[in-house]
Structures are given as C-alpha cells and as structure tokens.
Amino acid sequence: MAKYRILLVDDDPAFTSGMRGFLLSQDQIAEVDVAQDGREALQKLRDKQYDVCTLDLIMPNVDGLSVLEQVNAVCGAHAPALVVISALRNEVMVRRCCALGARYYMVKPIEPDMLYSRLIQMLNTETQRGGILPYAAAPKSFEEKVTAVFLTAGIPAHIKGYHYLREGIKMVVQNPDMINRITKELYPGIAKHFSTSASKVERAIRHAIEVAWTRGKIENLNALFGYNIYGKNDKPTNGEFIALVADKLLMEEQKKRAG
C-alpha cells in the first residue's frame, strides 16, 4: 500500500493539529509536516520531497499565492500536488490558484475525513487539474470579497494598512459620497474606529499600497478587475484604490440584486 508524505501549510495551529493527527492515523499516510507560513513552507519544500502540499492563502510573511508562484522553481520536477484550503470563495481567486498549478481549491470549514478522502482520490487517480469542490459554492460575505481583493493585490494581512483599508472600503460602500471627503471624514472615521490618528491611517494605507506594488502583484490586480488598470509604475492614490475596490463591490451587489 502506498505511503504518502504531506505538508500542511496554515497559520492556524488548531487546524493543522487536528488535520495532522487524523491524517497520521490513516494507513496510507506515512508522514505529515506542518509549516505556519509560506516562508517556512518554501524552506521545507527545498529540504524534502512531499506528495501533497495543502495551502492556506492568507498567511503572514509569504502568502499562499506566492508559494504557488514559487513552488516549481523551488521543487523542479519533484513538485508536490498542490491543494488550496481557504475560507475565501472568490471565483477569480479560484481561477488564479488553479492557473498557478493548484489541483483543487477546497473551502473551509472542512472535515479531516473529507480532506483525506479527496487527497487519496487525487493521488490514486489521474485527476483533472483545477477545480473547486461542489460544497465550496457558498454565499460570499463582504469580508470575504475584500479579503480576496487584498490577497490578489498582495497586501499582507498583518500590517495596519490592511485593516484600515478594509474599514475605509466598508465605509465608502455604505456611503459612496464619502470618497469625496477622504481627509475630512474618511480618515478620521477610520481613525476613530481603531483609536488612532487620521495621519497614521493615511500613512499606513499608503504603506499597504506601496507593499502591494513592491511585491509585483499588478497583473493579479488587473486580472481581478478584468482590464489593465495600472502598470508597475502607476501606483494609485489612497483614495483611488479605495474607490476602485468599493465601486467593484457595489457593482457586484447591483448585479446580484438584478439577477
């Protein structure tokens, strides 16, 4: 009977602990290692060969998309089968992950026996690459939609600007005219929510956008919006970025209601 080696990549210790314990109790699993972020995952992939690597998308330091982009360069011909396990249900994100080599995109929460069954099926048969599982088609919340945009853009979740941007976009979606009063109302409103100053909010958001452009995710952002909005040297202002994302979410909501 085949014995498989698995790498679980997720920054939630409760998730990895439960999954690891269950998988190790199965006859066909020989070894299960854990990485808490993408940076640690890439190092483990350099040091050891695995049959499967499961990836969360939102992680500190190096996110799941970055691992997908680098895994072939790191592993070469010995790259493992890649399975994304994320709370995000964004269709553009699913297509992006599958285009980067993910065999499946599975949506949390997921039971250990379901994951094991899918992994064994994938490893024991020739499975067509790229597919979202049927139970993944759940309603998408505002938080999920915004998180998908930030992940696509390369804005890491551990920086303050990420949270300030999310709150700002939420405020503009609720009151679109606020984008025209960004310094007088939007920044102070975000600052009040986080008990900080408007100037710190402005700087943190600017830093978040600069991080995204430095990480070279521009093609992902253009793909998300469906057309070329920015080039490498065309960084948007804080207000432009907030307005762009808010407009996208508002249009999606209008289409949903019309449909």
Side-chain angles (χ1 to χ4, degrees), residues 9-53:
V9 187
D10 198 299
D11 63 341
D12 181 355
F15 174 84
T16 53
S17 176
M19 285 296 181
R20 184 174 186 272
F22 179 87
L23 292 173
L24 285 174
S25 69
Q26 306 305 308
D27 291 339
Q28 293 195 55
I29 304 300
E31 187 175 357
V32 180
D33 289 341
V34 172
Q36 295 184 336
D37 60 38
R39 182 181 299 166
E40 184 182 0
L42 289 170
Q43 186 58 56
K44 287 182 180 292
L45 289 168
R46 289 187 185 96
D47 296 340
K48 187 185 297 186
Q49 291 183 25
Y50 295 94
D51 298 292
V52 178
C53 174

Side-chain angles (χ1 to χ4, degrees), residues 6-252:
I6 298 173
L7 176 62
L8 302 175
V9 187
D10 198 299
D11 63 341
D12 181 355
F15 174 84
T16 53
S17 176
M19 285 296 181
R20 184 174 186 272
F22 179 87
L23 292 173
L24 285 174
S25 69
Q26 306 305 308
D27 291 339
Q28 293 195 55
I29 304 300
E31 187 175 357
V32 180
D33 289 341
V34 172
Q36 295 184 336
D37 60 38
R39 182 181 299 166
E40 184 182 0
L42 289 170
Q43 186 58 56
K44 287 182 180 292
L45 289 168
R46 289 187 185 96
D47 296 340
K48 187 185 297 186
Q49 291 183 25
Y50 295 94
D51 298 292
V52 178
C53 174
T54 72
L55 280 169
D56 191 12
L57 291 177
I58 303 172
M59 297 181 292
N61 299 318
V62 176
D63 60 38
L65 273 182
S66 296
V67 175
L68 287 171
E69 291 168 347
Q70 298 178 56
V71 68
N72 285 331
V74 169
C75 301
H78 302 293
L82 299 164
V83 176
V84 173
I85 305 176
S86 174
L88 294 175
R89 298 169 173 85
N90 183 273
E91 293 178 7
V92 173
M93 185 61 63
V94 174
R95 291 196 296 270
R96 179 64 179 164
C97 290
C98 291
L100 288 171
R103 294 278 288 275
Y104 276 101
Y105 190 113
M106 307 177 78
V107 176
K108 293 179 179 178
I110 180 170
E111 295 299 323
D113 58 343
M114 176 62 74
L115 175 61
Y116 174 71
S117 175
R118 177 59 62 181
L119 295 184
I120 294 303
Q121 178 187 357
M122 180 183 66
L123 289 166
N124 290 345
T125 62
E126 288 295 326
T127 308
Q128 183 179 357
R129 172 168 292 190
I132 186 167
L133 296 189
Y135 51 82
K140 292 175 285 189
S141 69
F142 172 83
E143 295 292 333
E144 289 174 328
K145 292 177 181 178
V146 175
T147 299
V149 172
F150 289 176
L151 184 60
T152 300
I155 300 175
H158 66 278
I159 63 175
K160 290 182 178 179
Y162 175 101
H163 303 284
Y164 297 166
L165 267 173
R166 186 168 61 180
E167 180 65 20
I169 291 166
K170 180 179 180 181
M171 292 169 67
V172 172
V173 166
Q174 294 172 345
N175 182 8
D177 192 51
M178 188 173 286
I179 196 64
N180 299 316
R181 301 186 297 274
I182 190 168
T183 56
K184 291 185 177 180
E185 292 188 26
L186 187 60
Y187 288 158
I190 299 170
K192 182 178 180 180
H193 182 81
F194 289 97
S195 300
T196 186
S197 68
S199 61
K200 288 182 179 179
V201 166
E202 189 278 333
R203 287 196 300 270
I205 291 177
R206 168 52 41 191
H207 172 66
I209 294 173
E210 289 175 351
V211 167
W213 259 246
T214 300
R215 296 177 75 178
K217 301 279 189 176
I218 311 308
E219 70 282 1
N220 294 352
L221 191 60
N222 287 333
L224 179 69
F225 289 100
Y227 54 93
N228 290 333
I229 304 171
Y230 299 113
K232 187 174 182 180
N233 298 317
D234 301 325
K235 284 185 293 187
T237 65
N238 291 359
E240 287 172 345
F241 187 81
I242 292 171
L244 184 70
V245 178
D247 285 346
K248 175 178 172 57
L249 296 178
L250 283 169
M251 286 189 291
E252 287 181 352

